[in-house]
Amino acid sequence: MGVQKQSLELSKGRPLGLMALHALSLSPLKEVAVVVHPDDSLTWIKAMSEVPGKETLTCMPAVHVVICPEASGGMSYSIRSGLAALMSDGQELDAVVVALADQPFVSERTIIRLIDYWRMHPELDYVASKAKHNEETADVLMPPVLIASSMFEALHGLKGDSGARQLFKSSAFQGCGLVVLDEMALHDVDTPSDMDLARKHFQA
């Protein structure tokens, strides 16, 4: 879009990137690594302190800002930076959830559903989101996605802007996609028209 879209406002005081971060803060995740470009102003993250009801949350995950100098090189760099940051203190992780700051309508329910499904099926390497099935089009797996530790080595080897999606096509890994019935929940803001639609939906 040519601008720092995470800080664009859906309405006054509600920057785009804040919405997904807020959803993650309401989930049972233990930590959140927010991977940003070095030029990010971080104003959308600072806005978390002004979210109504935040002071009543007693089990919020720790939030860490991770500067990724190669962020403009593609999503793979951000994923690798975030994973490295979460594992930097030597702790062992069972899984991570990858979410995008430009998906403002992802809810904590979506995150919890991914986690709960994987806990019931721990043999899976990943559990992704997918839009309501259309028989005329192939299913497209997309974030947010839970990725088990069995895929961490492969994540560290990612290159370019394809993110983890290329790994989902590999026969080396087993996973599934959970249908998200609310199509706007997976709305990804990449263009000015995407942002216009997001504002209309948020303010409706």
Side-chain angles (χ1 to χ4, degrees):
M1 291 178 63
V3 296
Q4 190 182 98
K5 58 184 176 180
Q6 292 92 337
S7 296
L8 295 177
E9 293 191 335
L10 294 167
S11 67
K12 186 173 178 58
R14 289 293 178 270
L16 174 68
L18 170 66
M19 309 308 293
L21 180 56
H22 186 221
L24 291 169
S25 74
L26 295 175
S27 77
L29 296 173
K30 294 181 179 179
E31 292 185 68
V32 176
V34 184
V35 183
V36 299
H37 189 278
D39 295 335
D40 196 310
S41 67
L42 305 183
T43 55
W44 59 281
I45 299 175
K46 297 172 184 175
M48 266 294 287
S49 62
E50 300 174 11
V51 173
K54 177 180 178 292
E55 64 279 359
T56 65
L57 301 177
T58 58
C59 299
M60 282 186 63
V63 177
H64 310 285
V65 175
V66 180
I67 306 297
C68 178
E70 303 88 0
S72 58
M75 188 180 295
S76 62
Y77 292 98
S78 296
I79 292 175
R80 285 158 45 190
S81 294
L83 183 59
L86 290 172
M87 300 179 69
S88 62
D89 61 358
Q91 68 172 317
E92 294 186 7
L93 304 176
D94 296 324
V96 295
V97 172
V98 177
L100 304 181
D102 57 5
Q103 283 184 317
F105 305 117
V106 166
S107 70
E108 69 273 18
R109 294 187 300 276
T110 299
I111 305 298
I112 292 171
R113 189 168 172 238
L114 295 173
I115 296 171
D116 287 347
Y117 191 88
W118 180 72
R119 284 174 173 168
M120 291 187 292
H121 303 277
E123 72 279 4
L124 296 179
D125 298 300
Y126 64 87
V127 182
S129 302
K130 67 178 181 180
K132 186 176 181 181
H133 180 67
N134 184 334
E135 294 182 357
E136 299 179 357
T137 59
D139 289 340
V140 177
L141 302 181
M142 55 198 306
V145 54
L146 180 147
I147 300 178
S149 58
S150 55
M151 294 184 69
F152 286 179
E153 183 176 352
L155 289 181
H156 283 300
L158 285 176
K159 297 180 180 180
D161 197 35
S162 57
R165 188 174 296 172
Q166 59 182 293
L167 300 179
F168 302 157
K169 301 176 183 178
S170 171
S171 60
F173 302 113
Q174 179 184 6
C176 69
L178 300 185
V179 175
V180 178
L181 296 179
D182 180 2
E183 294 184 6
M184 284 303 292
L186 301 180
H187 181 64
D188 193 347
V189 176
D190 289 324
T191 66
S193 60
D194 291 337
M195 189 64 193
D196 289 341
L197 178 59
R199 285 193 175 111
K200 289 178 182 178
H201 183 74
F202 183 78
Q203 298 172 16

